[in-house]
Amino acid sequence: MRVLAAMSGGVDSAVAAARAVDAGHDVTGVHLALNRMPGTLRTGSRGCCTVEDSNDAWRAAEKLGIPFYVWDFSERFKEDVVDDFVAEYAAGRTPNPCLRCNEKIKFAALLEKAMALGFDAVCTGHYANVVTVDGHPQLHRAAEDAKDQSYVLGVLDEQQLNHCLFPLGDTPSKAQIREEAARRGLSVASKPDSHDICFIPDGDTRGWLSERIDLEPGRILDDQGNDLGQHDGALAYTVGQRKGLKIGRPAPDGKPRFVLEIRPKTNEVVVGAKEQLAVRTIRGIRASWAGQPVPAFEQFLAEQPQPAGATSSSIRVEVQVRAHGESLPATAWLESAVDDDAAEPATRVELIIVLDDSLKGVAPGQSAVVYDGTRVLGQAKINTARAGAPADLGSSA
């Protein structure tokens, strides 16, 4: 196949490109220039997509003997990832920019351009597997749980999965990737993994947001509505946050307080005990399927439009709500609901997830990715998260 290898400048994408070459593919390397902001050169393991990374990707391509290009996707990145990040915080939600970058940039804009240029697939250094069953692709977890990145790939649809190569998915450990890179003479063999948000390389999300969102002082309340003090801007907080509240006096029981809710319309932050972060029921919007939907979901979608409150058959799944979070057993189904965000009266399909056991710190705006064993079924953006479970499921649901 003609393969376009997305080379970030890190060790994973370099080894993935090398393995694609070894597999006999006609490989071309490309580095995506995503960030034009000054002062974004990498410091240790912070940041990515920098000039330094571009040079590292070029050196790796030279070593592999493959053509190499730099494509400027910075404008698209700003619109689809950075602006979305700001808008989500402005709405009181906590976004996942890495997942959005995969959805909008690496497997939409990049894949679209690759297909237009005659490439058959895009190869990346993500740790995940694509398995073809009865002619249809399925997304599965990587062999190494600690490095599994299927969560941030849960937004990929069937058409995209048909054109993805993840050569690292079956590798048991990251140590083996570094050893392989060293054997191949790749200079990135010992380069640190990138952490934090690439367009906020100093890690100061609050400071970065304050330059882009009008952060007005407001009130900090407890769950009973009692005024506990003033915050510097509700939109810079996230559900589950403990530090930076600056309340000045302890809770009656002396225990720390955590952010329970952000209310952007009233510019209020609600805080409470850690136990109050426990969530059982998640309602997700903008659901998408990684491959074909399971039969129960497929039937529901085929019967649209549904009256408000209609449900499809429920299925047993596991759900993950953070990139490196635990996968927990749950029951899931689809449901029609009134779309309060629509300009005209409308209904929308929501993915309802009821966890067997409570989970703390589930933030609206994050993605809930549902699994059947190692297989990713799909995902939805968390719209609301509540403590209780529907009564008809019973206490053990």
Side-chain angles (χ1 to χ4, degrees):
M1 294 191 298
R2 288 193 67 207
V3 172
L4 186 67
M7 303 182 71
S8 67
V11 63
D12 292 329
S13 60
V15 171
R19 290 185 177 183
V21 171
D22 288 351
H25 300 305
D26 178 8
V27 180
T28 296
V30 63
H31 178 80
L32 303 184
L34 301 179
N35 202 346
R36 291 178 173 176
M37 300 177 187
T40 55
L41 285 177
R42 177 190 297 272
T43 301
S45 61
R46 290 188 180 272
C48 66
C49 312
T50 66
V51 173
E52 177 186 345
D53 293 313
S54 175
N55 290 334
D56 287 340
W58 170 75
R59 282 189 285 268
E62 284 281 293
K63 188 69 177 179
L64 298 176
I66 61 175
F68 177 77
Y69 300 91
V70 176
W71 288 354
D72 184 357
F73 277 27
S74 58
E75 185 172 340
R76 180 76 179 264
F77 181 75
K78 179 183 181 301
E79 293 174 357
D80 290 341
V81 180
V82 179
D83 290 352
D84 175 79
F85 182 85
V86 174
E88 285 292 284
Y89 263 101
R93 296 186 287 263
T94 304
N96 186 314
C98 294
L99 189 147
R100 196 63 58 229
C101 184
N102 285 331
E103 177 187 18
K104 298 292 187 178
I105 305 299
K106 295 176 183 174
F107 298 99
L110 176 61
L111 183 59
E112 179 182 330
K113 186 170 182 177
M115 296 296 103
L117 292 173
F119 288 93
D120 301 302
V122 167
C123 165
T124 73
H126 287 97
Y127 288 77
N129 285 301
V130 175
V131 178
T132 301
V133 178
D134 296 330
H136 297 282
Q138 295 180 357
L139 178 64
H140 285 256
R141 289 189 182 278
E144 185 190 11
D145 288 341
K147 293 298 294 181
D148 174 57
Q149 292 175 299
S150 60
Y151 173 87
V152 295
L153 298 171
V155 290
L156 302 186
D157 61 25
E158 182 172 14
Q159 188 274 338
Q160 292 168 325
L161 290 172
N162 273 323
H163 299 283
C164 290
L165 285 182
F166 302 128
L168 307 189
D170 290 327
T171 305
S173 73
K174 180 60 177 278
Q176 288 182 280
I177 296 296
R178 293 195 179 281
E179 291 171 3
E180 181 177 337
R183 289 197 308 272
R184 293 177 180 274
L186 297 172
S187 61
V188 292
S190 59
K191 185 175 181 177
D193 292 339
S194 61
H195 298 289
D196 300 317
I197 300 168
C198 68
F199 50 88
I200 311 178
D202 63 0
D204 182 11
T205 302
R206 178 190 292 270
W208 188 89
L209 284 170
S210 68
E211 298 175 0
R212 292 158 179 84
I213 300 177
D214 187 13
L215 298 180
E216 294 289 339
R219 308 317 301 170
I220 300 176
L221 311 175
D222 65 17
D223 63 324
Q224 301 300 313
N226 297 313
D227 193 328
L228 302 179
Q230 179 175 286
H231 61 71
D232 297 328
L235 304 181
Y237 291 86
T238 188
V239 171
Q241 181 175 331
R242 173 185 173 186
K243 296 182 179 179
L245 296 178
K246 302 177 184 178
I247 294 175
R249 64 179 187 272
D253 60 4
K255 294 182 179 180
R257 294 184 177 95
F258 296 80
V259 174
L260 304 180
E261 183 183 357
I262 294 126
R263 298 173 178 170
K265 291 183 179 179
T266 57
N267 195 28
E268 294 171 334
V269 174
V270 181
V271 300
K274 185 176 183 179
E275 292 73 21
Q276 293 176 275
L277 288 169
V279 161
R280 285 284 307 282
T281 301
I282 295 169
R283 301 185 76 95
I285 58 175
R286 301 179 191 173
S288 63
W289 315 108
Q292 293 189 312
V294 295
F297 291 173
E298 195 168 35
Q299 180 181 355
F300 175 84
L301 295 170
E303 294 172 352
Q304 291 297 303
Q306 294 278 343
T311 62
S312 62
S313 302
S314 63
I315 62 170
R316 292 293 295 169
V317 298
E318 291 186 343
V319 63
Q320 188 173 328
V321 299
R322 303 181 188 92
H324 300 292
E326 186 179 2
S327 183
L328 300 173
T331 299
W333 66 89
L334 295 177
E335 188 172 296
S336 290
V338 175
D339 188 354
D340 295 326
D341 299 326
E344 300 290 336
T347 60
R348 68 185 177 201
V349 176
E350 295 186 343
L351 177 64
I352 315 300
I353 300 169
V354 179
L355 299 164
D356 286 10
D357 299 304
S358 296
L359 178 65
K360 292 183 174 66
V362 179
Q366 293 280 0
S367 287
V369 178
V370 291
Y371 292 80
D372 178 13
T374 64
R375 180 190 173 190
V376 179
L377 299 180
Q379 65 83 43
K381 184 168 78 170
I382 298 171
N383 190 44
T384 61
R386 298 287 182 261
D392 59 351
L393 285 178
S395 59
S396 63

